[in-house]
Amino acid sequence: ADWKGQRVLLHFGAVDWHATVWLNGVRLGEHEGGYSEFRFDVTGALRIGGRNVLTVRVLDVTDPETPIGKQVPSWYTSTSGIWQPVWLETTGDTWLSSLRIKPLAGPDQAPDGRVEIGASLGGRTDLVRRAIVESKDKSFQRLELTVRDAHLQGVLIVSEPRFWTPDTPNLYPIRIRLLDDRGSDLDVVHTYFGIRTIAWA
């Protein structure tokens, strides 16, 4: 009941292969592809404070036209149906819908501390005036991202980068805030990234 007045998103980590989803008899949509995340805005179909019925129909065929990854023929366990987490998330009218954090490499193909941030916005994107990227542990300076056509873009600098390796799996916590014209938060996302590049040289 405390979600009343917010938008509610239903996320699927992955469903193999073709999924059709209903909530309380309302068809939300469908998704094809067994390895990619997808989501639906379920706000209009959700019964706040009451019983909800979620229905997921999955079709998975094994044929030459469908990418099957490592499943057939091999010694890997076959994967089918809902095989990644499913979760609900609440947001306001505007939210960060996708995020890409990419370490950049110098001329020698080694990471140099530059990290490219790219993101897409969902909902009322016209409300966003600016976006701020911050470091909880002060690993990099606060960065203001450029907002253009419902996308964010910018490059932050980690001055003394500690590269991720299996023996030293260093991660950098990061917070991204979407702000309106009064400086109030529209959405806040907490995540993390590691710095490492892999190149053929």
Side-chain angles (χ1 to χ4, degrees), residues 12-20 31 33-36 38 56-62 71 77-86:
F12 289 83
V15 178
D16 192 13
W17 166 256
H18 183 279
T20 308
H31 178 267
Y35 304 97
S36 54
F38 60 98
V56 182
R57 182 177 67 194
V58 181
L59 174 66
D60 186 22
V61 294
T62 302
Q71 294 181 48
T77 301
S78 181
T79 300
S80 187
I82 303 172
W83 69 282
Q84 288 290 319
V86 180

Side-chain angles (χ1 to χ4, degrees), residues 12 17-18 25 55 61 69 93 112 114 130 172 175 178:
F12 289 83
W17 166 256
H18 183 279
T55 306
V61 294
D93 289 330
D112 55 13
R114 292 177 301 132
R130 58 198 180 105
Y172 292 93
R175 180 173 74 168
L178 304 181

Side-chain angles (χ1 to χ4, degrees), residues 132-135 137-144 155-159 174:
I132 302 295
V133 179
E134 300 170 314
S135 169
D137 60 1
K138 309 299 182 186
S139 299
F140 54 86
Q141 291 186 348
R142 186 170 181 243
L143 172 69
E144 185 165 332
V155 176
L156 60 86
I157 307 293
V158 179
S159 58
I174 185 173

Side-chain angles (χ1 to χ4, degrees), residues 2-4 6-9 11 88-92 95 187:
D2 58 350
W3 287 4
K4 189 174 182 179
Q6 301 184 74
R7 304 209 70 79
V8 181
L9 306 180
H11 295 261
L88 290 168
E89 174 186 28
T90 61
T91 73
W95 61 88
D187 193 20

Side-chain angles (χ1 to χ4, degrees), residues 84-201:
Q84 288 290 319
V86 180
W87 70 97
L88 290 168
E89 174 186 28
T90 61
T91 73
D93 289 330
T94 307
W95 61 88
L96 197 69
S97 62
S98 68
L99 176 64
R100 178 185 170 111
I101 303 175
K102 177 185 175 185
L104 300 176
D108 60 352
Q109 300 299 319
D112 55 13
R114 292 177 301 132
V115 179
E116 184 179 73
I117 307 291
S120 298
L121 306 179
R124 291 282 311 278
T125 60
D126 59 300
L127 299 177
V128 181
R129 291 295 171 264
R130 58 198 180 105
I132 302 295
V133 179
E134 300 170 314
S135 169
K136 183 179 179 181
D137 60 1
K138 309 299 182 186
S139 299
F140 54 86
Q141 291 186 348
R142 186 170 181 243
L143 172 69
E144 185 165 332
L145 295 180
T146 303
V147 182
R148 185 176 293 116
D149 299 326
H151 290 85
L152 308 174
Q153 191 87 24
V155 176
L156 60 86
I157 307 293
V158 179
S159 58
E160 297 181 9
R162 291 172 289 154
F163 304 143
W164 186 98
T165 72
D167 294 326
T168 58
N170 184 68
L171 296 174
Y172 292 93
I174 185 173
R175 180 173 74 168
I176 302 175
R177 301 167 56 207
L178 304 181
L179 306 176
D180 62 15
D181 53 5
R182 296 174 300 174
S184 300
D185 289 330
L186 295 167
D187 193 20
V188 180
V189 172
H190 296 264
T191 186
Y192 53 85
F193 66 90
I195 298 179
R196 183 182 176 97
T197 58
I198 299 174
W200 183 270

Side-chain angles (χ1 to χ4, degrees), residues 28-70:
L28 301 175
E30 56 187 282
H31 178 267
E32 187 175 277
Y35 304 97
S36 54
E37 185 264 347
F38 60 98
R39 71 182 70 88
F40 298 108
D41 185 337
V42 301
T43 309
L46 190 66
R47 296 174 185 150
I48 296 293
R51 182 174 182 267
N52 291 272
V53 178
L54 177 66
T55 306
V56 182
R57 182 177 67 194
V58 181
L59 174 66
D60 186 22
V61 294
T62 302
D63 63 43
E65 300 300 319
T66 304
I68 55 176
K70 298 177 177 179

